[in-house]
Amino acid sequence: MIIFNVPLFLGKETEYIKQAVAQRKLSGDGEFTKRCNTWLEANIGVAKALLTTSCTHALEMAALLCDIKPGDEVIMPSYTFVSTANAFVLRGAKIVFVDIRPDTMNIDESLIETAITKKTKVIVPVHYAGVSCEMDVIDDIANKYGLLIVEDAAQAIMSKYNGKDCGSLGDFGCFSFHETKNLSCGEGGALVIKDQRYSEDAEIIREKGTNRSRFFRGEVDKYTWVNVGSSYLPSEINAAYLLAQLEFSKQILDDRLASWNYYNNGLKPLYDRGFIELPYVPPHCEHNAHMFYIKAKDLEERSSLIRHLRERGVASVFHYVPLHSSEAGEKYSCFSGEDNYTTRESERLLRLPMYYGLTQEDREKVVDSVSTFYL
């Protein structure tokens, strides 16, 4: 059976974990956390990076930094993971969903402006499948109305838009290092910050509302409770595991791109004959091969294809159920405009196995198994 995902393990993770244990500093913000933060700052091009326990927590920190209050409105796509919305609902915000583009599955930037009201405070673009949203347009809208941008870049580590890294394009960027992501530490994430003026507040929020980070730098003689916050620091063991993968990130990216390109080329005959749709990557975007998906004709065909692949030993999955159609979505959100594509496209999309180390034999089997369903 070709399973859908294999959590990444290169080997050096064990060496770094042993070093972390030997240093007797496991609670966070030790050497390995700092090295990960430094790598992210240098490679993404941001003023500040802070490892977190998850992308969910990075989003929650971003909501606090945006000073979200009850009654504020936050614009985002409905086709996303629940954490994108939850982070702002926890602060009392109302979520305003807008439709997606059917080509990239990202938020339709042309619909954002009509969803803005006097209560709007933040726009949250989600870079689906590691393909960037149209950030120049979104940035212009945010500047015009004085809004903040929080990038949900959970799937977009090392992806680029016009040569700039996803996560560095808004005010805040949020990454995931969950075991299903390109770079992983089992459970983990990071908040990256474009403007240095938010850095101290972010440290305080991340350190349970205290100025503990300043104390450890010798800037104050004791630390105390200075604002709201929570415990968002990952263990040094998680950071050690992640650092080993950050250091080999180019190798990991190249391997995943090889699988992605093989799928794309191998399935193109089906696309040419109108059987399926393939992922679209705009020419000014560089994706990270986070996932490979195809689109069937409709929900019924997708369900049949999933069964067909399972019978041939290939795992495949669909993705999000749009949030606006959920029980909580009906309570905490509204949909601006028409749902022309969000539900329809989500019911057609099917994800194929994608992970580091996928063998050529397995790639061939996946392509052949999809092809035999249609031909």
Side-chain angles (χ1 to χ4, degrees), residues 179-329:
E179 70 169 29
T180 57
K181 300 303 189 291
N182 293 31
L183 307 175
S184 165
C185 58
E187 289 281 0
L191 174 71
V192 298
I193 301 168
K194 187 175 184 178
D195 191 331
Q196 185 67 41
R197 66 192 173 97
Y198 288 105
S199 295
E200 185 174 338
D201 287 342
E203 288 181 338
I204 289 168
I205 290 169
R206 182 169 168 268
E207 276 280 16
K208 311 163 192 68
T210 73
N211 57 352
R212 189 166 179 259
S213 294
R214 294 192 65 197
F215 170 72
F216 282 130
R217 289 196 294 266
E219 297 170 3
V220 293
D221 59 1
K222 61 183 178 180
Y223 71 88
T224 185
W225 182 25
V226 295
N227 208 333
V228 296
S230 192
S231 182
Y232 294 129
L233 278 72
S235 161
E236 275 294 279
I237 292 176
N238 292 70
Y241 195 104
L242 177 62
L243 181 64
Q245 299 187 6
L246 293 176
E247 292 178 343
F248 287 90
S249 57
K250 179 63 165 58
Q251 172 184 318
I252 295 165
L253 176 63
D254 288 345
D255 180 272
R256 296 182 70 104
L257 284 170
S259 293
W260 195 99
N261 289 329
Y262 186 87
Y263 283 165
N264 199 52
N265 294 331
L267 295 171
K268 191 173 183 301
L270 297 181
Y271 168 79
D272 291 339
R273 296 177 62 176
F275 290 122
I276 63 171
E277 290 183 24
L278 296 172
Y280 172 68
V281 181
H284 51 283
C285 296
E286 298 174 42
H287 71 99
N288 64 353
H290 171 64
M291 74 171 77
F292 192 94
Y293 64 82
I294 61 174
K295 290 183 185 177
K297 181 178 64 175
D298 52 28
L299 177 59
E300 182 180 0
E301 182 176 282
R302 182 184 73 178
S303 298
S304 297
L305 178 54
I306 290 175
R307 289 193 297 270
H308 170 87
L309 293 174
R310 187 187 307 120
E311 290 167 359
R312 282 155 180 78
V314 176
S316 60
V317 301
F318 56 85
H319 214 174
Y320 314 123
V321 175
L323 295 181
H324 72 280
S325 61
S326 67
E327 181 180 347

